[in-house]
Amino acid sequence: MTTFIAILVDGSIYASWLFLVSAGLTVIYGVMRILNMAHGSFYAIGAYAGASLVGWWFSGAGGNPYVSYLLLLGAALVAGLVVGFFIEFSLLRRMYGRDEILMVIVTYALLLILEDAIKLVWGVDPYFAYQPYGLLGRVSFSGLTFANYDLGLIGVSLVVGFGLWLILNRTHKGKLLRAVIHDREVAVAMGVNVKAMFAVTFAVGTTLGALAGALTAPAISVSPGIGVEVIVLAFAVVVVGGMGSIGGAAAGAVLVGLTRAAAVHLAPELELFVIYGVMSLVLSVRPQGLFGQTLVRKI
């Protein structure tokens, strides 16, 4: 029973982190049909921005330590929106309508540029922002101890997932966005400002990536290369769930998270393999993913 509880809790924590990481990637692809290779860099920018602000706050500039959580959220919001709108306006807006493979190449080049830009701005030394992680303490049950900060990520992922669903299904702008997703040409003919929709969508996607990075910063050493590591996991999750599906990203994160936790506790030697094993099994049965839909091509 103790092992089962450990797998369930650890899997839920890891799944919540995977969903936060992959939500922005699947939002951008679902609306814009851009497979954003640079998404990991937005995660890294959020992590560095959050770690920098938290480090400044605890170095003597601030007072109440709980303000550090607001600093993490503020860093993700500002970094994500500024970088997202700038990249969309200066680069991606000139590429709309091009082949999807070309967009992959462009965003991969953007990944390389942003990785070097991060080193120029923050250097190559690691950043540590551990204070918010330990501030909430730990909780024990069934002989197991978990950090409250990690458990809080489950709540954050639920709020983010519900918020995205609410916006897409219960708001006027969300319904316009769904119209753009289903048929871009008809949406333009009906007077929908597709360019504005794309700009907002890309900024939301980058902000979600930056949010995942900022919230992860207190639990890790923020160092060069973290964005490249994350993008591989994010792709695995969205491919399992179905490209462009928020529900699919959530399902993929839960499946991968629980499977990985089971491997860690029961067969540690399979930890690195199990994520890609799950992806292979799902794609062999459903090539479009669990919640993915077959795309209709116009001829």
Side-chain angles (χ1 to χ4, degrees):
M1 180 59 70
T2 300
T3 302
F4 174 77
I5 294 175
I7 292 173
L8 183 62
V9 177
D10 287 343
S12 299
I13 292 172
Y14 192 66
S16 65
W17 177 77
L18 286 175
F19 176 74
L20 290 175
V21 168
S22 60
L25 182 66
T26 198
V27 164
I28 291 174
Y29 182 82
V31 177
M32 305 172 69
R33 289 296 182 265
I34 294 177
L35 196 57
N36 184 21
M37 295 291 293
H39 187 71
S41 295
F42 303 138
Y43 168 90
I45 290 173
Y48 271 102
S52 299
L53 280 181
V54 168
W56 166 77
W57 186 256
F58 282 100
S59 65
N64 190 337
Y66 291 97
V67 174
S68 60
Y69 299 110
L70 296 179
L71 293 178
L72 289 174
L73 295 177
L77 184 64
V78 173
L81 290 178
V82 171
V83 174
F85 277 119
F86 175 76
I87 291 176
E88 194 280 335
F89 179 78
S90 62
L91 177 62
L92 294 183
R93 186 165 294 189
R94 294 168 170 76
M95 307 299 296
Y96 293 150
R98 305 292 182 88
D99 188 83
E100 291 185 12
I101 301 300
L102 178 61
M103 298 302 291
V104 171
I105 297 173
V106 169
T107 55
Y108 178 70
L110 183 60
L111 166 70
L112 300 179
I113 294 171
L114 289 177
E115 286 298 305
D116 284 338
I118 289 172
K119 294 177 184 177
L120 289 174
V121 174
W122 282 284
V124 296
D125 294 329
Y127 281 66
F128 299 96
Y130 57 87
Q131 294 90 342
Y133 188 83
L135 194 59
L136 296 179
R138 306 181 72 86
V139 62
S140 299
F141 55 88
S142 297
L144 302 170
T145 302
F146 300 96
N148 288 325
Y149 188 91
D150 289 336
L151 297 176
L153 288 181
I154 299 176
V156 173
S157 65
L158 291 175
V159 170
V160 170
F162 179 73
L164 291 174
W165 178 86
L166 198 65
I167 291 172
L168 288 173
N169 295 279
R170 292 293 186 268
T171 65
H172 177 66
K173 294 296 183 183
K175 292 177 181 178
L176 291 179
L177 191 59
R178 290 169 63 192
V180 173
I181 294 172
H182 289 300
D183 199 316
R184 189 181 306 176
E185 294 177 359
V186 172
V188 172
M190 296 298 291
V192 178
N193 190 340
V194 174
K195 287 186 177 180
M197 287 288 184
F198 279 3
V200 172
T201 298
F202 191 78
V204 169
T206 57
T207 301
L208 288 172
L211 176 64
L215 293 179
T216 308
I220 64 172
S221 168
V222 181
S223 57
I226 59 173
V228 178
E229 298 171 2
V230 160
I231 191 62
V232 177
L233 292 174
F235 274 127
V237 170
V238 298
V239 166
V240 168
M243 297 293 293
S245 170
I246 297 297
V254 171
L255 180 60
V256 171
L258 291 176
T259 305
R260 181 217 177 235
V264 168
H265 287 276
L266 301 177
E269 65 277 6
L270 298 179
E271 178 191 355
L272 296 178
F273 166 78
V274 71
I275 295 176
Y276 308 104
V278 169
M279 182 173 65
S280 301
L281 288 175
V282 171
L283 294 183
S284 65
V285 178
R286 285 184 60 85
Q288 69 272 31
L290 295 175
F291 288 80
Q293 297 180 355
T294 302
L295 295 179
V296 179
R297 279 188 188 274
K298 292 184 178 180
I299 301 177

